[in-house]
Amino acid sequence: MTNHKRRFSLVLIKPSHYDDDGYVIQWLRSAIPSNSLAVLYGLALECAEHKVLGNDVELEIHAFDETNTRIRPKHVASLIEGADAGMVMLVGVQSNQFPRALDIAASLRRRGIIVAIGGFHVSGTIAMLSELDPDVRRAQEMGVSLFAGEAEGRLEEVLRDAANNQLKPLYNFMNDLPNLEGAAMPLLPAERILRTAGANTSLDAGRGCPYQCSFCTIINVQGRKSRYRSADDCERIVRANLAQDIHRFFITDDNFARNKNWEAILDRMIQLREGEGLQFNFIIQVDTL
Ligand code: SF4
């Protein structure tokens, strides 16, 4: 008797956006890595390790960033049709990317593929508007499942629901933002990171910001409390990437200066560089008034 494992194919896509003439903006090498894509990939790896879909199901994970990779819906659909089950998650979708996400979703839904959308547009509009945003409603009308909030500790529920063909129209975790200490690390395979200029990957040492700038969406989505990774977590992220020859990190904190653990994290990074002689660099955005 053969011991056949079923395959569930999870395809994570970070959509790009359209230019003024309606073309998808795309580069041979994109500038900024998508931390949402890395976070979801890391969480999916953890789900695969924990066999959240059962011992007899292999969770196969694909990750694509449309800013550096052409997305062909037929090919994406084939990754799922070639498995026993699966779904597409359009991740980290911001407002200017939502029209593109809807177009990708529409063409996948026509092929009968299960699709979910998460990111700042879904989360931000649900947090700030009294009614569902019209574009978000369009997604729901297509049968796309919506995810608001952050996926730490929640991805396995969505995967199980998809595997059982019982995906809910909306997963709303906006009032329950997760702690990050000990959470799965953001990680992407080197072959995806090499598609960014300078082979940069991302590191979110923390999320949330205590300030209340009137123009800021971040605090409506990631909250005003500093949630942070431990120094051990950050060391694991650095070592995992060095092991695949990736040495450059874009720190994506909303406000690293207000990350309550900044000093312990930087002390650990100094120890790794100066104590152990590990070679790695950081990029961080500095806004000044
Ligand atoms: S994240 Fe930046 S823009 Fe937003 S509230 Fe904090 S300091 Fe202001």
Side-chain angles (χ1 to χ4, degrees):
M1 194 172 77
T2 54
N3 192 7
H4 175 65
K5 274 201 166 188
R6 288 184 297 131
R7 281 168 53 225
F8 184 99
S9 178
L10 171 64
V11 184
L12 304 169
I13 299 174
K14 166 72 180 179
S16 181
H17 63 285
Y18 292 116
D19 69 10
D20 291 344
D21 297 318
Y23 291 101
V24 175
I25 296 178
Q26 204 162 68
W27 295 274
L28 184 65
R29 295 287 175 266
S30 58
I32 297 175
S34 166
N35 189 59
S36 300
L37 189 62
V39 164
L40 265 297
Y41 191 89
L43 289 170
L45 278 180
E46 185 181 62
C47 288
E49 275 167 30
H50 293 176
K51 301 196 179 305
V52 300
L53 297 180
N55 287 331
D56 60 336
V57 180
E58 186 184 332
L59 178 57
E60 181 182 293
I61 313 158
H62 307 270
F64 303 111
D65 183 340
E66 197 183 29
T67 64
N68 56 38
T69 304
R70 197 162 164 196
I71 300 298
R72 295 180 174 87
K74 192 174 167 191
H75 172 247
V76 171
S78 74
L79 293 173
I80 291 168
E81 288 156 354
D84 297 290
M87 72 179 296
V88 172
M89 289 186 182
L90 300 167
V91 304
V93 183
Q94 299 175 7
S95 295
N96 65 343
Q97 298 156 347
F98 208 78
R100 176 62 186 157
L102 283 178
D103 287 347
I104 296 172
S107 109
L108 291 168
R109 291 296 298 142
R110 280 196 293 275
R111 292 173 161 88
I113 301 294
I114 298 174
V115 180
I117 301 182
F120 262 65
H121 187 72
V122 173
S123 300
T125 55
I126 284 177
M128 290 186 288
L129 305 180
S130 54
E131 292 182 355
L132 211 53
D133 166 75
D135 281 343
V136 172
R137 182 175 296 121
R138 270 188 62 208
Q140 253 187 351
E141 286 166 359
M142 276 182 219
V144 171
S145 182
L146 304 171
F147 188 97
E150 298 175 10
E152 281 79 7
R154 286 76 188 247
L155 184 62
E156 61 183 72
E157 177 187 342
V158 179
L159 291 174
R160 281 197 192 110
D161 287 354
N164 294 326
N165 222 2
Q166 291 178 340
L167 216 50
K168 300 182 182 83
L170 172 65
Y171 293 82
N172 186 353
F173 297 104
M174 288 303 294
N175 292 325
D176 186 16
L177 296 175
N179 285 328
L180 297 180
E181 279 182 278
M185 66 174 125
L187 189 70
L188 281 171
E191 67 187 54
R192 308 319 305 177
I193 297 166
L194 291 173
R195 287 174 176 255
T196 61
N200 286 297
T201 193
S202 65
L203 190 168
D204 57 341
R207 299 178 201 156
C209 173
Y211 294 135
Q212 287 183 284
C213 302
S214 59
F215 52 83
C216 182
T217 328
I218 286 171
I219 46 177
N220 296 309
V221 175
Q222 306 208 141
R224 295 189 50 219
K225 182 180 164 202
S226 169
R227 294 172 292 122
Y228 45 82
R229 297 189 192 274
S230 67
D232 286 349
D233 293 337
C234 294
E235 179 178 338
R236 280 194 301 127
I237 295 169
V238 168
R239 287 189 187 279
N241 279 287
L242 293 182
Q244 54 174 355
D245 210 18
I246 299 297
H247 299 257
R248 293 161 67 99
F249 299 83
F250 188 99
I251 297 178
T252 64
D253 285 41
D254 306 328
N255 188 340
F256 186 69
R258 290 293 171 271
N259 179 324
K260 286 192 172 170
N261 207 29
W262 70 267
E263 195 166 4
I265 292 168
L266 289 186
D267 280 347
R268 183 67 61 88
M269 297 302 119
I270 291 167
Q271 189 215 320
L272 293 176
R273 282 169 55 112
E274 300 205 342
E276 293 194 33
L278 298 180
Q279 296 291 318
F280 58 93
N281 300 89
F282 292 120
I283 302 172
I284 191 164
Q285 179 178 326
V286 178
D287 296 333
T288 53
L289 293 175

